[in-house]
Amino acid sequence: MEKRPDSMERITTDALAQAFVDEQISAVRAQVGDKKVLLALSGGVDSSVVAALLIKAIGQNLVCVHVNHGLLRKGEPEQVIEVFRNQMKANLIYVDATDRFLDKLAGVAEPEKKRKIIGEEFIRVFEEEARKLKGVDFLAQGTIYPDILESGTVKAHHNVGGLPEDIHFEGLVEPIKFLYKDEVRVVGKVLGLPDNMVYRQPFPGPGLGVRCTGAITRDRLEQVRESDAILREEFDKAGLAGKVWQYFTIVPECKSVGVKNNLRAVENFVVIRAVNTRDAMSATIEEIPYVTLNKIVNRIITEVPGINRVLYDLTPKPTGTIEWE
């Protein structure tokens, strides 16, 4: 296992972050020369910071592949395209594989099986795009230091492990592999990434697939996406976005009876989850002001089709995990 250099200072200021960026630009140029580098750009904090750094280092010789598996939050694929293709002029390949992923997931209810399908299908899509490219010699990854500490190696789904041996790369480019998440965010700010990308709350690799519990349907997936967007918007308005570590919605695979337009309505329901934690090993429940909670509930039941009830999960960790699956 690689160790963070003892002499490496914690990156806590813009000056230290800029010095790190300058150092890594030189290191990347020395490593890859005029050769091309391939990066799976999810839009998460780590891969976005790597992309922004490598764009400064090698420009169009970085090829980014953004795979939309249909399980991202509302507006995220559009943000990746806007920030990287339109603003930073990145060499970006966008792949909308929504139908492919959802067809593979149809009828699959077991959480670990869903995760495996999503991870393996992501690798296959990325592999297909890699095969189309000529003269790409290096693979870039958003490995950060906790990944190394937790696994002693590269996480297969967090990065692009599992590629076939015949797709041969001369080497890996991992410019932020000795950084902790808080340091990655400081570097991201210096690189000019927007706050809602740099300070994005934790988001699972399988995306909304684990928040649409049980077998995923397109209707329930859209209900998760729309209710989550409402929750995030109202948290922003109430000043809660920077105070709560993680907040999201879940739409379980069961229904409840309600009344709409004076008629009995058997529809889905939304569960709100909002937690604070230091290390994700335990978590406490965030108290949402009733006025804000009331706005969120009213918006969800009136703006999200097929939803007639909203619940608030008050379970700490332990006993409940942060995610439902």
Side-chain angles (χ1 to χ4, degrees):
M1 183 180 76
E2 291 185 88
K3 289 188 175 182
R4 177 176 167 124
D6 293 335
S7 60
M8 187 171 178
E9 191 172 357
R10 286 280 291 175
I11 297 174
T12 57
T13 66
D14 288 354
L16 289 170
Q18 187 60 60
F20 174 82
V21 168
D22 293 341
E23 177 185 290
Q24 289 304 313
I25 287 174
S26 298
V28 168
R29 288 173 177 169
Q31 180 184 4
V32 307
D34 60 358
K35 295 179 180 179
K36 290 187 177 181
V37 179
L38 182 63
L39 170 68
L41 174 57
S42 69
V45 181
D46 304 332
S47 68
S48 296
V49 169
V50 169
L53 196 157
L54 294 184
I55 288 167
K56 287 187 177 293
I58 58 175
Q60 291 295 298
N61 278 349
L62 172 68
V63 181
C64 298
V65 177
H66 177 57
V67 178
N68 178 5
H69 49 29
L71 305 169
L72 297 171
R73 289 176 290 196
K74 187 174 183 178
E76 286 184 331
E78 294 82 359
Q79 184 185 38
V80 170
I81 292 170
E82 173 59 28
V83 170
F84 290 99
R85 179 182 287 170
N86 298 343
Q87 296 178 18
M88 295 190 174
K89 309 303 179 185
N91 185 357
L92 173 65
I93 297 169
Y94 171 70
V95 183
D96 186 350
T98 299
D99 290 341
R100 176 171 172 170
F101 276 83
L102 295 186
D103 288 347
K104 287 273 187 180
L105 289 164
V108 179
E110 205 282 314
E112 287 309 308
K113 190 173 181 182
K114 289 199 298 186
R115 288 175 181 271
K116 185 176 181 181
I117 289 171
I118 294 165
E120 289 182 350
E121 199 62 22
F122 178 86
I123 292 168
R124 298 290 79 81
V125 174
F126 187 79
E127 170 192 336
E128 290 169 14
E129 295 304 317
R131 290 186 191 280
K132 296 175 186 178
L133 300 169
K134 303 296 182 184
V136 176
D137 296 282
F138 290 87
L139 177 67
Q141 297 193 136
T143 309
I144 63 174
Y145 199 47
D147 297 334
I148 297 172
L149 292 175
E150 288 173 10
S151 62
T153 184
V154 176
K155 288 183 177 179
H157 182 48
H158 176 79
N159 298 302
V160 192
L163 288 172
E165 292 182 1
D166 64 311
I167 299 183
H168 177 71
F169 293 101
E170 187 175 320
L172 287 176
V173 178
E174 299 175 300
I176 61 172
K177 67 180 180 181
F178 291 129
L179 299 188
Y180 290 98
K181 181 70 79 173
D182 61 321
E183 296 176 301
V184 176
R185 297 188 198 279
V186 179
V187 171
K189 284 291 294 178
V190 164
L191 288 166
L193 292 173
D195 281 358
N196 60 354
M197 186 173 278
V198 170
Y199 297 109
R200 193 175 94 148
Q201 59 174 297
F203 191 56
L208 300 181
V210 295
R211 296 175 182 173
C212 184
T213 64
I216 296 170
T217 65
R218 292 175 185 254
D219 286 348
R220 282 198 302 119
L221 183 60
E222 198 58 28
Q223 289 165 351
V224 176
R225 196 178 342 263
E226 291 299 323
S227 60
D228 175 81
I230 290 170
L231 180 67
R232 288 188 288 137
E233 184 178 323
E234 292 301 328
F235 265 43
D236 283 341
K237 290 178 182 177
L240 292 170
K243 298 177 181 178
V244 184
W245 186 77
Q246 193 170 9
Y247 46 95
F248 53 90
T249 61
I250 307 104
V251 178
E253 193 182 21
C254 56
K255 296 180 182 292
S256 72
V257 177
V259 177
K260 283 190 174 180
N261 300 318
N262 295 317
L263 296 173
R264 176 186 172 96
V266 180
E267 295 182 327
N268 296 325
F269 60 89
V270 166
V271 180
I272 295 171
R273 187 89 165 122
V275 301
N276 273 322
T277 181
R278 288 188 175 183
D279 56 10
M281 299 304 292
S282 62
T284 57
I285 301 306
E286 178 62 27
E287 184 176 331
I288 303 175
Y290 184 78
V291 172
T292 301
L293 195 58
N294 193 45
K295 286 181 182 178
I296 294 167
V297 172
N298 285 335
R299 285 195 60 191
I300 289 175
I301 60 178
T302 57
E303 296 178 28
V304 183
I307 296 296
N308 65 5
R309 192 182 300 268
V310 179
L311 310 181
Y312 186 32
D313 183 357
L314 293 169
T315 314
K317 181 182 179 181
T319 57
T321 54
I322 294 174
E323 297 285 348
W324 271 40
E325 283 191 342

